[in-house]
Amino acid sequence: MGVQGVSDTKAVSTSIDSLRAAIPKHCFQKSTSTSMSYIVRDIALVCTVFYMGTQIQYAPTFALRCALWALYSVFQGFVFVGIWILAHECGHQAMFDNGTVNDTFGLIMHSFLGVPYFSWKYSHARHHRYTNHMEKDTAFVPAQKDGNHLMAKVQDKVKHVFHMTEDAPIVSLIFLIGHQLIGWQTYMLCYASSGYKSLALSKDPRTTSNLSHYSPTSPIYLPSQRLAILVSDLGLLAVGYGLYYATQVMGLTQVALLYGLPYLWVNHWLVAITYLHHNHGDAEHFEQGTWTFEKGALATVDRDFGFVGRELFHGIIEFHVVHHLFPRIPFYHAEEATGAIQPMLGKKYIRDNTSFLKALWKTFTSHHYVVEHETKPGVLVWAK
């Protein structure tokens, strides 16, 4: 399976400073020309594939048109994800030296894909700050046995109704499809899977109703961030109007096929990538007293998605651990930076080369909740 996992006997003795020192200094340097070349390349790819999509209507048979639309949606979905990741890099200020330039390009690219740029930027920054913290992480905080986790309770109820076992494939498939299709919107609208101390303001998300990433007054954000949230919403309104205008010119069906289908693929890949970065049999989670930044960052996972992962997804799947340690390293230096620190991390470095989609199914069907580690107080591991 190609897994390098956590060792109970070999602890990481390296600090963030020593890891930083091991990485060549140029890996931390941003190149305006290189960053712009990736943005121009991905926009050119979107436009090229879009043009090819507009020609599908002229295919001679219905069956051929269906096959071409399926092919178009998959490939344009890949390219859209590439755009999403470049905006993600801008959110980390990892594309350009100038913060305003980062935010301008990030706002444009994320708005195009229906993402409220600043809203996501602020909550995502706290995810990086408190990765795998059971109370303060903002995303994919796992359920605990007999805990107050909505999705775990719903799955148990459905399985009981259908009189199926814990490992019933059909039930797991239904929930996996739902997880992939609406997981992103659920997080953006309801702050689902977040820790109960993860809000910027001192409130418990379990007892708070206004948890939308689109609301400037949400306790997810500080009062000083509200104007930026409003700017994010205005960006989405502009794109929404653009799509409305496109339907008047091209028709609703054509816009749904050209934009809507790839958008669904973006949802799928975005949720799958993020989920598999933070769910693995060797990835530990930590309670308040035992969590440290280093422990949380090193409990993330590098995986492999071949050509698509490295070229179209900009290596975000393959080199995610170093991104959590040093999120301002430009993605085009992440492979070199990973190679520099991996020998220092030893078995603390988690890499799983299992087929990506196979890993998604295996992880989703086997990792339901975490339990206390048998010998490490304050450390939680996935129940077997």
Side-chain angles (χ1 to χ4, degrees):
M1 184 167 65
V3 179
Q4 294 183 16
V6 175
S7 170
D8 289 336
T9 60
K10 184 176 181 179
V12 174
S13 59
T14 51
S15 65
I16 287 293
D17 288 340
S18 61
L19 291 173
R20 181 186 295 274
I23 298 173
K25 291 183 179 180
H26 70 263
C27 289
F28 293 91
Q29 297 173 355
K30 310 172 187 71
S31 166
T32 297
S33 60
T34 301
S35 296
M36 280 302 305
S37 70
Y38 279 104
I39 292 175
V40 171
R41 186 203 75 168
D42 280 13
I43 291 176
L45 278 174
V46 167
C47 294
T48 301
V49 179
F50 175 83
Y51 173 76
M52 295 170 65
T54 62
Q55 305 306 301
I56 293 176
Q57 60 184 316
Y58 303 116
T61 66
F62 177 75
L64 180 58
R65 289 195 295 274
C66 288
L68 290 174
W69 278 122
L71 183 64
Y72 165 85
S73 69
V74 171
F75 191 74
Q76 188 72 296
F78 285 155
V79 181
F80 275 10
V81 172
I83 293 285
W84 200 104
I85 291 165
L86 293 181
H88 158 270
E89 292 289 299
C90 288
H92 285 292
Q93 308 294 292
M95 292 285 278
F96 304 97
D97 289 318
N98 186 286
T100 301
V101 175
N102 276 302
D103 287 340
T104 300
F105 278 104
L107 177 64
I108 293 170
M109 291 187 288
H110 260 174
S111 296
F112 170 71
L113 295 170
V115 180
Y117 171 72
F118 289 105
S119 311
W120 168 87
K121 172 184 172 180
Y122 294 141
S123 65
H124 186 69
R126 287 204 304 282
H127 161 63
H128 270 259
R129 174 67 183 84
Y130 295 108
T131 304
N132 284 17
H133 192 300
M134 287 297 295
E135 298 174 359
K136 296 181 179 180
D137 199 349
T138 65
F140 287 116
V141 175
Q144 292 180 261
K145 189 174 182 180
D146 302 322
N148 187 28
H149 195 283
L150 178 60
M151 183 55 68
K153 290 184 176 182
V154 171
Q155 291 191 44
D156 288 342
K157 287 289 186 182
V158 171
K159 289 172 182 176
H160 176 74
V161 169
F162 282 88
H163 301 286
M164 293 180 176
T165 67
E166 181 72 16
D167 298 320
I170 185 63
V171 175
S172 296
L173 179 61
I174 291 171
F175 277 102
L176 179 58
I177 292 173
H179 183 262
Q180 297 307 113
L181 286 179
I182 65 173
W184 169 248
Q185 288 85 354
T186 303
Y187 175 66
M188 297 305 289
L189 287 169
C190 308
Y191 204 48
S193 79
S194 61
Y196 74 94
K197 290 185 179 179
S198 63
L199 296 176
L201 301 181
S202 298
K203 294 185 179 181
D204 188 336
R206 296 172 298 187
T207 61
T208 305
S209 58
N210 182 21
L211 291 176
S212 171
H213 275 77
Y214 306 97
S215 172
T217 60
S218 172
I220 298 174
Y221 310 108
L222 297 170
S224 60
Q225 298 170 334
R226 289 174 181 172
L227 180 60
I229 308 307
L230 181 60
V231 171
S232 299
D233 292 343
L234 292 175
L236 296 184
L237 287 174
V239 171
Y241 177 78
L243 290 173
Y244 169 76
Y245 181 77
T247 62
Q248 305 306 301
V249 176
M250 306 173 65
L252 178 60
T253 300
Q254 191 77 343
V255 172
L257 293 170
L258 288 168
Y259 180 86
L261 286 180
Y263 174 81
L264 292 179
W265 278 110
V266 173
N267 286 351
H268 161 68
W269 291 120
L270 175 60
V271 173
I273 291 168
T274 310
Y275 180 73
L276 288 179
H277 279 160
H278 301 286
N279 289 273
H280 187 276
D282 290 335
E284 299 173 336
H285 290 76
F286 307 93
E287 294 180 346
Q288 172 65 33
T290 56
W291 177 89
T292 65
F293 175 83
E294 291 88 344
K295 288 179 180 178
L298 289 173
T300 56
V301 187
D302 283 353
R303 297 182 183 271
D304 186 76
F305 199 44
F307 174 84
V308 171
R310 289 175 177 264
E311 299 301 327
L312 297 182
F313 290 178
H314 305 299
I316 197 171
I317 295 174
E318 287 76 9
F319 311 111
H320 195 68
V321 174
V322 75
H323 171 68
H324 262 275
L325 290 165
F326 306 105
R328 292 199 176 192
I329 289 181
F331 68 90
Y332 40 82
H333 294 316
E335 181 173 8
E336 183 179 358
T338 297
I341 65 173
Q342 185 177 345
M344 301 175 66
L345 300 178
K347 293 184 178 180
K348 274 288 187 180
Y349 173 71
I350 308 175
R351 182 173 187 88
D352 191 338
N353 292 322
T354 303
S355 167
F356 194 77
L357 292 178
K358 180 180 178 181
L360 177 62
W361 173 258
K362 178 182 177 181
T363 303
F364 189 82
T365 55
S366 61
H367 294 171
H368 298 297
Y369 57 86
V370 292
V371 296
E372 288 281 348
H373 194 284
E374 292 182 355
T375 60
K376 299 179 182 179
V379 177
L380 296 101
V381 294
W382 290 102
K384 301 298 183 181

